[in-house]
Amino acid sequence: MSNNLEEKLDFVIASLSALLPELILIMCLLLVVLLSFRKGLLKASLIIAIFAPIVTLPLILFKDTSEPQFLMNNNFVLDDISKYFKVLFLITFLYSLFIFSREGKKSGEQLSMMLTILIGAFFTASSHNIIVLVLSIEMMSIPAYALTTFSMDRESGKAGLKYFLLGAVASAFMLYGLSLLYGFTGTLDIFSLEFIKGLLVSSPLAVIVACLFTLGGILFKLSVFPMHVWVKDVYLSAPISAVAFFSIVPKIAVLVFFIRFIKSIDSVSLVFIDLNFDWSVFMSFLSLATIFAGNLAALKQKDVVGMMAFSSVAHMGYLLVGLIPVSQYGFQATSFYVGAYLLMNMAVFHMLQVFKRGGLSLQYDAFRGWGRKNIYWVVIVVFLMLALTGLPPTGGFTAKLMIFSALYDSYLTASKPIIIWVILFGLLNVAISLYYYIRLPYIMLIKEPQGPVLKFKSKKADIFVISGTTLALILLFFKPNWLLEIINNVNFVF
């Protein structure tokens, strides 16, 4: 017994070196928290927060993950998938810090919350155990609830409470579903062979119920229909730098788990044959409902942030489309879509923060005729809206093309009629989304202004970063291989 315990301890200690990036982030978080207790140390906190991803990024990039490494008694896994998405997390965090540095009202508490979300995302992407997974997801969720209330007014308080209560219910559903899966299989490792064998000998109906409960929590974290009602209140209440960050990182971290989860469930699809339950059909309806619900809600918005909130719902639906085939190509297309969406989402929120800092309201009417004297911003808005729509010449077009190409490839193999409906309905929704995306540049140029329009003054650093991000989106259209070569080296077989 003692020898077995010593072996486990040696294994845990050996795992610490592989988890060095996470340990560095935790140490930086502790320093930021300590500095937050003293006034006048915000700049030092920001330097530490910037230092964390800069040091962590090369450690992750140069880590060999061609063969998965199982750490901490199989509680964590380091593989190509977690490596790719962790790099995206760090890029998003660095961009969010730049936006944060430009805000008028800043606090060390916000930095510590964002760092906590980043660490939770790292653990979620690498989690290989039910308990670790639940703790990691809550490590992302609780700071996000708190960030929603940072405006310290009545509306942000209501939004934070609503987000917290709905999140708690969703977490309870997910935990209940995962506990049922543990009861059926006798293992906390939901990606192991024992887990798959346990599901194969379990009641198909019971397995479906457990999976649906688990999905309840996952769908909330992804803001997927019908668990998307919280997005607008949260996006309007939280600081823009925080919204830019947690509109991407927690969702994508949960998406990494979802990819692993549906891969495990797909491997036991024979369990559901007697009940005529097809997960691809279920995912198809879920993605279509999410795309349509997000687009329909975005059409009704009177402010740009509200539009972006429900736009994010529609984009989550498109990400689900890439998961329907449960194939290497589908996962690669989803990974490319995540990279392109990260750039366009961060650039738009950065731009909105620049507008807000310059005294502009983010209501649509505030931009009437505004673009006639601010052509640079109109050009940027047009390219970003084209990217969000999924039109050339932007990486958004390439991302949607890959998503639907992967889905069509699966149709050629499986010949399921629902897949053709997903493709047709998805493309129709691209046309619908064009209406509300093109609305902002249309108002900027065509609508008559309500008063005198002045030349908008913005700082060169903001112009440089936003222009660079927009250029990167355009390059993803002409040179998608730059990102695809990285994604093609990611092994989605696990």
Side-chain angles (χ1 to χ4, degrees):
M1 183 69 178
S2 60
N3 289 335
N4 189 30
L5 180 60
E6 287 179 7
E7 289 177 4
K8 288 184 176 181
L9 287 174
D10 290 339
F11 187 59
V12 168
I13 293 170
S15 300
L16 291 177
S17 61
L19 292 173
L20 185 59
E22 285 82 355
L23 294 175
I24 291 174
L25 292 176
I26 291 170
M27 291 299 297
C28 290
L29 170 61
L30 293 175
L31 288 173
V32 170
V33 170
L34 290 173
L35 291 174
S36 299
F37 288 108
R38 296 286 300 273
K39 292 183 178 180
L41 295 177
L42 179 60
K43 189 174 182 180
S45 297
L46 183 57
I47 291 172
I48 293 171
I50 294 171
F51 171 84
I54 288 176
V55 173
T56 304
L57 190 58
L59 292 176
I60 295 173
L61 286 173
F62 296 113
K63 181 71 176 178
D64 182 16
T65 54
S66 55
E67 291 293 330
Q69 292 179 257
F70 295 94
L71 311 170
M72 297 287 182
N73 293 321
N74 292 339
N75 288 326
F76 298 95
V77 61
L78 291 183
D79 55 7
D80 291 338
I81 304 170
S82 60
K83 177 180 179 177
Y84 173 75
F85 285 102
K86 284 177 182 179
V87 170
L88 296 187
F89 297 157
L90 292 174
I91 293 171
T92 308
F93 183 68
L94 278 170
Y95 200 153
S96 300
L97 288 181
F98 181 80
I99 300 174
F100 171 84
S101 69
R102 322 298 285 177
E103 286 181 336
K105 187 179 179 181
K106 299 186 282 286
S107 68
E109 289 81 4
Q110 182 180 333
L111 282 176
S112 61
M113 296 291 181
M114 290 169 64
L115 264 171
T116 305
I117 292 174
L118 179 64
I119 296 167
F122 267 54
F123 286 142
T124 302
S126 290
S127 62
H128 218 261
N129 178 285
I130 290 175
I131 296 175
V132 173
L133 172 72
V134 172
L135 292 175
S136 301
I137 290 178
E138 292 310 304
M139 192 175 182
M140 295 188 295
S141 301
I142 294 173
Y145 305 149
L147 283 171
T148 307
T149 66
F150 263 46
S151 296
M152 299 299 177
D153 55 27
R154 182 180 178 84
E155 291 303 315
S156 66
K158 287 168 60 178
L161 182 61
K162 179 181 179 181
Y163 190 19
F164 169 71
L165 292 175
L166 290 174
V169 172
S171 295
F173 274 112
M174 182 179 66
L175 188 57
Y176 183 61
L178 289 171
S179 65
L180 287 176
L181 292 175
Y182 169 67
F184 299 150
T185 61
T187 177
L188 292 170
D189 186 350
I190 55 178
F191 312 117
S192 65
L193 187 60
E194 290 79 7
F195 179 81
I196 295 172
K197 288 179 178 177
L199 291 184
L200 287 172
V201 297
S202 300
S203 164
L205 181 60
V207 171
I208 290 175
V209 170
C211 290
L212 291 177
F213 270 109
T214 304
L215 281 175
I218 294 173
L219 299 186
F220 177 85
K221 308 301 180 185
L222 293 175
S223 66
V224 169
F225 177 86
M227 312 289 284
H228 68 292
V229 293
W230 54 273
V231 290
K232 181 181 178 180
D233 292 337
V234 171
Y235 277 50
L236 289 173
S237 300
I240 288 183
S241 59
V243 173
F245 182 65
F246 69 62
S247 67
I248 290 287
V249 171
K251 292 180 183 181
I252 303 309
V254 174
L255 185 72
V256 177
F257 161 70
F258 195 31
I259 289 173
R260 299 184 194 274
F261 181 74
I262 63 173
K263 180 70 175 176
S264 291
I265 295 301
D266 183 69
S267 62
V268 294
S269 56
L270 291 175
V271 172
F272 311 121
I273 289 179
D274 293 338
L275 296 177
N276 293 320
F277 186 87
D278 191 331
W279 278 101
S280 64
V281 174
F282 173 78
M283 288 289 294
S284 297
F285 280 111
L286 191 63
S287 61
L288 288 179
T290 302
I291 294 168
F292 183 71
N295 283 337
L296 186 64
L299 286 170
K300 301 176 182 178
Q301 300 308 306
K302 295 182 179 180
D303 61 273
V304 185
V305 176
M307 180 272 289
M308 286 298 296
F310 288 111
S311 158
S312 72
V313 175
H315 281 285
M316 287 301 114
Y318 285 113
L319 283 171
L320 292 184
V321 169
L323 303 185
I324 293 171
V326 194
S327 65
Q328 178 84 1
Y329 186 21
F331 294 147
Q332 288 173 341
T334 301
S335 301
F336 185 92
Y337 198 109
V338 169
Y341 180 60
L342 182 159
L343 292 174
M344 59 183 91
N345 189 73
M346 296 301 294
V348 169
F349 277 110
H350 185 187
M351 180 182 68
L352 294 180
Q353 191 229 40
V354 171
F355 292 163
K356 188 174 182 180
R357 196 172 68 238
L360 280 172
S361 164
L362 298 182
Q363 299 287 320
Y364 278 114
D365 286 342
F367 294 96
R368 293 171 67 98
W370 181 84
R372 298 175 188 178
K373 288 191 177 181
N374 299 281
I375 297 299
Y376 163 78
W377 287 110
V378 174
V379 172
I380 291 295
V381 168
V382 167
F383 276 110
L384 291 179
M385 294 302 117
L386 286 176
L388 286 166
T389 307
L391 295 177
T394 67
F397 172 80
T398 312
K400 280 192 171 67
L401 179 64
M402 288 186 63
I403 287 284
F404 288 116
S405 296
L407 191 59
Y408 184 70
D409 276 2
S410 72
Y411 171 75
L412 295 177
T413 303
S415 298
K416 295 180 181 178
I418 185 65
I419 292 178
I420 292 296
W421 285 107
V422 173
I423 294 172
L424 294 175
F425 194 81
L427 293 175
L428 175 64
N429 271 267
V430 171
I432 293 172
S433 67
L434 179 61
Y435 173 79
Y436 64 80
Y437 282 131
I438 212 68
R439 184 180 176 190
L440 182 58
Y442 171 79
I443 290 173
M444 283 180 166
L445 286 175
I446 307 301
K447 290 288 187 178
E448 289 299 321
Q450 295 175 327
V453 177
L454 302 176
K455 182 78 173 177
F456 185 75
K457 294 181 179 180
S458 50
K459 296 183 178 180
K460 291 181 180 179
D462 293 311
I463 293 175
F464 177 77
V465 173
I466 294 173
S467 299
T469 309
T470 306
L471 180 61
L473 280 169
I474 296 171
L475 288 175
L476 278 181
F477 173 77
F478 292 103
K479 296 288 186 180
N481 286 341
W482 291 354
L483 182 57
L484 285 175
E485 286 178 3
I486 298 172
I487 294 173
N488 289 338
N489 292 324
V490 176
N491 183 12
F492 287 94
V493 178
F494 34 79

